[in-house]
Amino acid sequence: MKITLKDGSVKEYAQPMSILDIAKDLSEGLARVACVGEVDGEKRDLRTVIDHDCTLNICTAKDEAGLATLRHTASHVMAQAVKRLFPSAKLAIGPSIADGFYYDIDFEEPISAEDTEKIEAEMKKIIKENLPLERFELPRAEAIALMQEKEEPYKVELIQDLPEDAVISFYKQGEFTDLCAGPHLMSTKEVGKAYKITSIAGAYWRGNEHNKMLTRIYATAFAKKDELEAYITMMEEAKKRDHRKLGKELKLFMMSDYGPGFPFFLPNGMVLRNTLMEYWREIHYRNDYVEISTPIMLNRSLWETSGHWDHYKENMYTTVIDDNDFAIKPMNCPGSILVYQNEPRSYRDLPLRYAECGLVHRHEKSGELHGLMRVRCFTQDDAHIFITPEQIRDEVTRIAALINQVYELFGFRYHVELSTRPEDSMGSDEDWAAAEEGLKQALEAIGLPYVINEGDGAFYGPKIDFHLVDAIGRTWQCGTIQLDFQLPQRFELEYTGADGMKHRPIMIHRVCFGSVERFIGILIEHFAGAFPTWLAPVQVKVLPISEKFMDYAKAVTEKLLDAGVRAELDTQDQKIGYKIRSAQMQKIPYMLVVGQKEQEDGLVAVRSRAKGDEGQKSLEGFIADICEEIASRRIDAGEEK
């Protein structure tokens, strides 16, 4: 048999070989660190015997598949530890996730932080026992009987959802057996020493709020301890930067029990938001977009035509007006289509670029709400662009350049994914193939590296997703470019071509910030609340040393305001040290201290968040400097030292 390896080389074997034996044949070092094999793209345990020609990629913990396998095995070790310590606990599911793994468990009594320490200690014992993980399969009826015998009702329910003729796989390690498709490491010892329980939360069984609330134990695992330590450091930094905490401290936004998932922006937050939107409008006008506004609520028949009613109904809020069903918009695109249809269009009008910062509402489960990151209403910085087929490459190139310009301004690195047709999609195979090929050609023409994200496109078309990397290395999916052949067909959109005939336009859906609220949350955490001067809600705080210099401080504040600088006067009856600390806590970029000498000479003593004491300057000189900094939208002055 011929085994084609990842590098394209081919190995031939006369008899069937396990993946582990092939790894040993290639390199003893590879065999020691191998976690899983990918056989023709399918993940398989290292014990899997290959008896046919195939492609094979042997993954280590440096690879995504290998690390996921290590973490999935660690989740079984954690579940075994739980069952040893809490025999009456009932296990639900325990997958690996992007930054670790979790297990949902039904405990008789709530567990505490002390309990998680005991679980970690028991995990250490299980790993040291070096228990082999053994895979076996049972018919559905026998699988149900096994889980009933072990009193695992959640596992029974999962098996009952499978077809009658299904063959069910399990993994056994020592006395512990778990329902699982795999793959896994060869033994518990291979999990290693770099693991940690990170938090405990509640999670409804199967994500349904009508089901029982289970305990979700989050944890993570790495191949090496230094990788775990780096992750823990990042998580500690993330806690300091949590936008919910900083949003409250800096008085940017609030939440209310009267509207869960519906954020309130406070005065400081509105300054930040409006400044951000001024920049958004500036770059869009400069790139030949026209801004529109469409209604927040439209008739059900529109959403049926668009396909949202069939594909998105459960996430939509509805009401009845004059005996007709209406839906609050979850997306802006149908409104842009109605604007396009408002008058006849010619090929000379295209590309036609509509920009809309529209407020949309989507139902999110209460357990999934998270500050500004996951809300039920948000402003989508949409653009809907109507083009001819010949304009795809140039327009996608133009959009990518605009998105790149925005992300570079804020200091974001990013990577790009091309998301292809999902299972729940509409349209013909031919249209989808043409749309996906159009985006591929545009990306290749730009020279923008990308990876394929199979099956994650929108239901109406493929998309290019931009994933930002923030100051501490986390990624966020924000910008997107979606190519849509379907909605123009469903709404029978037309334009008159150069040949005088009617033609169908192509529609591009595009966001840059994504959700404005979420983008603000990302910015709060990216800058740790220490916004660059041009974005800061308060750019300068004027601090009189005592009451007798208040009149001069007021005059300084007025001159700053007249120059367009967002300035505030500190009127507290406190010592100057207290006022400085207060301004530092508010993360204000500049403080101007004024006393006897400053008043006599028309000066200000400048303290900056970035550099500390910068000495005395003339007020006119300081105003000139800060106005230039604001106009240039520099980000370096906003960095904390």
Side-chain angles (χ1 to χ4, degrees):
M1 62 184 178
K2 294 181 180 180
I3 307 296
T4 304
L5 302 174
K6 185 179 181 181
D7 62 4
S9 63
V10 176
K11 296 285 288 185
E12 293 191 20
Y13 297 99
Q15 66 281 329
M17 297 270 284
S18 73
I19 296 173
L20 182 60
D21 286 337
I22 294 172
K24 289 177 180 176
D25 181 57
L26 296 173
S27 160
E28 286 292 337
L30 175 62
R32 283 194 295 272
V33 296
C35 295
V36 69
E38 289 182 330
V39 182
D40 292 334
E42 295 289 329
K43 298 178 182 65
R44 295 285 183 263
D45 293 328
L46 295 177
R47 63 181 64 79
T48 301
V49 175
I50 299 176
D51 58 3
H52 60 282
D53 295 352
C54 66
T55 61
L56 173 63
N57 179 25
I58 299 173
C59 303
T60 72
K62 293 181 179 179
D63 305 304
E64 183 178 337
L67 185 57
T69 302
L70 183 151
R71 288 170 170 172
H72 194 186
T73 306
S75 78
H76 278 224
V77 171
M78 184 171 74
Q80 184 177 14
V82 167
K83 292 294 286 186
R84 285 184 177 182
L85 296 169
F86 306 93
S88 62
K90 310 301 180 190
L91 303 178
I93 58 172
S96 64
I97 53 177
D99 55 357
F101 59 93
Y102 69 80
Y103 218 115
D104 289 345
I105 302 172
D106 188 355
F107 289 94
E108 285 188 343
E109 299 291 337
I111 63 170
S112 65
E114 289 183 2
D115 291 324
T116 63
E117 292 175 5
K118 293 176 184 176
I119 294 169
E120 281 188 356
E122 192 64 33
M123 288 175 69
K124 184 177 181 180
K125 293 179 184 176
I126 293 168
I127 291 167
K128 192 174 181 180
E129 289 170 20
N130 194 18
L131 303 172
L133 276 88
E134 302 168 1
R135 189 179 193 273
F136 66 93
E137 295 178 343
L138 293 174
R140 182 175 178 273
E142 292 181 30
I144 290 173
L146 176 63
M147 289 295 99
Q148 287 174 335
E149 179 188 337
K150 292 184 174 294
E151 298 182 351
E152 295 289 0
Y154 299 102
K155 304 292 185 181
V156 171
E157 184 177 330
L158 291 170
I159 298 169
Q160 288 173 335
D161 285 347
L162 299 174
E164 290 281 350
D165 60 352
V167 177
I168 316 300
S169 62
F170 293 86
Y171 280 82
K172 183 178 185 298
Q173 57 198 58
E175 82 288 353
F176 178 74
T177 299
D178 202 358
L179 170 71
C180 188
H184 282 287
L185 302 178
M186 298 290 283
S187 76
T188 58
K189 185 178 181 180
E190 293 177 24
V191 170
K193 301 177 181 179
Y195 60 89
K196 184 173 181 60
I197 294 175
T198 54
S199 64
I200 300 174
Y204 292 110
W205 169 233
R206 293 191 148 178
N208 187 333
E209 60 263 42
H210 300 297
N211 289 339
K212 186 172 184 179
M213 176 75 78
L214 307 179
T215 299
R216 176 168 292 180
I217 306 177
Y218 284 101
T220 193
F222 292 87
K224 298 179 180 179
K225 276 202 167 184
D226 59 346
E227 294 172 339
L228 174 64
E229 289 167 1
Y231 174 79
I232 292 170
T233 299
M234 185 191 78
M235 293 302 293
E236 289 172 350
E237 182 64 24
K239 286 181 182 178
K240 296 177 190 174
R241 293 169 178 260
D242 190 323
H243 76 284
R244 296 167 298 178
K245 171 178 172 287
L246 290 171
K248 184 176 182 179
E249 292 173 357
L250 302 178
K251 300 180 180 179
L252 299 172
F253 69 93
M254 59 170 273
M255 295 293 184
S256 169
D257 290 340
Y258 288 105
F262 299 96
F264 292 69
F265 276 87
L266 304 176
N268 280 352
M270 281 305 298
V271 173
L272 171 62
R273 182 189 180 111
N274 288 338
T275 304
L276 196 62
M277 297 318 299
E278 286 168 11
Y279 168 67
W280 182 90
R281 288 190 168 88
E282 176 188 315
I283 60 171
H284 280 76
Y285 291 151
R286 203 162 60 228
N287 282 273
D288 299 323
Y289 287 79
V290 290
E291 188 173 4
I292 62 172
S293 177
T294 62
I296 197 170
M297 184 165 50
L298 293 163
N299 191 282
R300 168 179 170 172
S301 62
L302 176 78
W303 304 107
E304 289 175 335
T305 302
S306 70
H308 290 92
W309 194 261
D310 291 334
H311 295 267
Y312 211 74
K313 178 172 55 181
E314 293 184 359
N315 295 90
M316 297 168 67
Y317 297 113
T318 60
T319 189
V320 177
I321 302 175
D322 296 335
D323 297 324
N324 291 311
D325 291 333
F326 278 72
I328 299 175
K329 64 179 179 180
M331 299 175 187
N332 297 308
C333 31
S336 289
I337 287 172
L338 295 181
V339 174
Y340 180 91
Q341 288 179 318
N342 186 51
E343 58 183 280
R345 304 294 176 182
S346 161
Y347 73 96
R348 293 186 180 90
D349 300 324
L350 309 183
L352 182 53
R353 305 179 182 97
Y354 291 137
E356 178 178 16
C357 286
L359 184 64
V360 300
H361 290 71
R362 301 177 185 177
H363 179 63
E364 298 284 356
K365 294 173 182 176
S366 58
E368 296 175 346
L369 299 175
H370 182 80
L372 296 179
M373 303 299 195
R374 198 75 180 263
V375 292
R376 288 174 171 156
C377 77
F378 57 92
T379 303
Q380 191 92 344
D381 77 313
D382 266 325
H384 295 100
I385 304 164
F386 298 89
I387 61 173
T388 69
E390 298 76 23
Q391 294 169 336
I392 290 176
R393 191 175 79 171
D394 288 347
E395 194 61 28
V396 171
T397 301
R398 183 187 182 105
I399 295 167
L402 185 149
I403 292 174
N404 178 70
Q405 176 187 349
V406 172
Y407 294 169
E408 281 190 343
L409 173 69
F410 295 104
F412 288 122
R413 294 175 290 112
Y414 63 86
H415 67 269
V416 175
E417 290 182 353
L418 173 57
S419 299
T420 58
R421 186 176 189 171
E423 290 185 12
D424 181 23
S425 63
M426 61 184 188
S428 69
D429 293 343
E430 293 77 14
D431 283 346
W432 274 89
E436 290 177 4
E437 185 60 29
L439 291 183
K440 285 179 183 177
Q441 288 181 4
L443 286 169
E444 287 161 7
I446 300 165
L448 201 57
Y450 67 94
V451 295
I452 300 291
N453 185 9
E454 293 287 355
D456 201 41
F459 68 84
Y460 48 76
K463 58 179 181 170
I464 298 170
D465 289 328
F466 292 77
H467 295 262
L468 306 184
V469 182
D470 70 11
I472 58 173
R474 297 169 301 179
T475 57
W476 308 91
Q477 196 273 303
C478 291
T480 187
I481 305 170
Q482 302 175 0
L483 200 56
D484 185 0
F485 286 69
Q486 311 307 322
L487 291 185
Q489 289 181 11
R490 293 175 76 94
F491 283 93
E492 299 181 347
L493 301 187
E494 294 179 337
Y495 67 90
T496 302
D499 57 3
M501 305 295 289
K502 296 296 185 182
H503 298 271
R504 187 84 69 214
I506 296 168
M507 186 177 183
I508 296 178
H509 307 249
R510 187 240 66 189
V511 296
C512 188
F513 296 152
S515 156
V516 173
E517 286 75 5
R518 184 167 178 261
F519 195 76
I520 288 172
I522 292 169
L523 288 179
I524 293 170
E525 298 194 358
H526 180 60
F527 292 114
F531 300 108
T533 304
W534 71 277
L535 268 182
V538 179
Q539 295 164 328
V540 179
K541 196 85 166 182
V542 181
L543 311 177
I545 288 177
S546 67
E547 181 67 27
K548 64 181 179 179
F549 305 113
M550 188 64 72
D551 287 344
Y552 178 60
K554 287 179 181 178
V556 168
T557 306
E558 288 297 324
K559 287 185 179 180
L560 289 164
L561 293 171
D562 289 345
V565 178
R566 294 191 290 269
E568 281 187 358
L569 173 62
D570 189 329
T571 59
Q572 299 177 93
D573 185 18
Q574 296 286 349
K575 293 182 178 180
I576 191 63
Y578 180 91
K579 293 180 180 180
I580 290 171
R581 286 192 297 275
S582 178
Q584 288 173 333
M585 291 293 292
Q586 295 170 53
K587 300 183 183 288
I588 293 170
Y590 290 98
M591 293 159 270
L592 300 185
V593 179
V594 294
Q596 182 73 39
K597 184 167 180 56
E598 289 78 21
Q599 180 173 281
E600 289 175 354
D601 299 336
L603 302 173
V604 289
V606 181
R607 293 186 63 89
S608 75
R609 184 180 61 208
K611 300 177 182 177
D613 187 358
E614 295 189 18
Q616 291 179 326
K617 292 184 181 179
S618 69
L619 179 57
E620 292 75 15
F622 174 78
I623 289 175
D625 289 344
I626 193 172
C627 286
E628 186 278 328
E629 182 183 321
I630 293 168
S632 67
R633 295 193 174 102
R634 294 207 312 270
I635 67 166
D636 56 340
E639 295 176 359
E640 287 190 302
K641 305 297 180 184

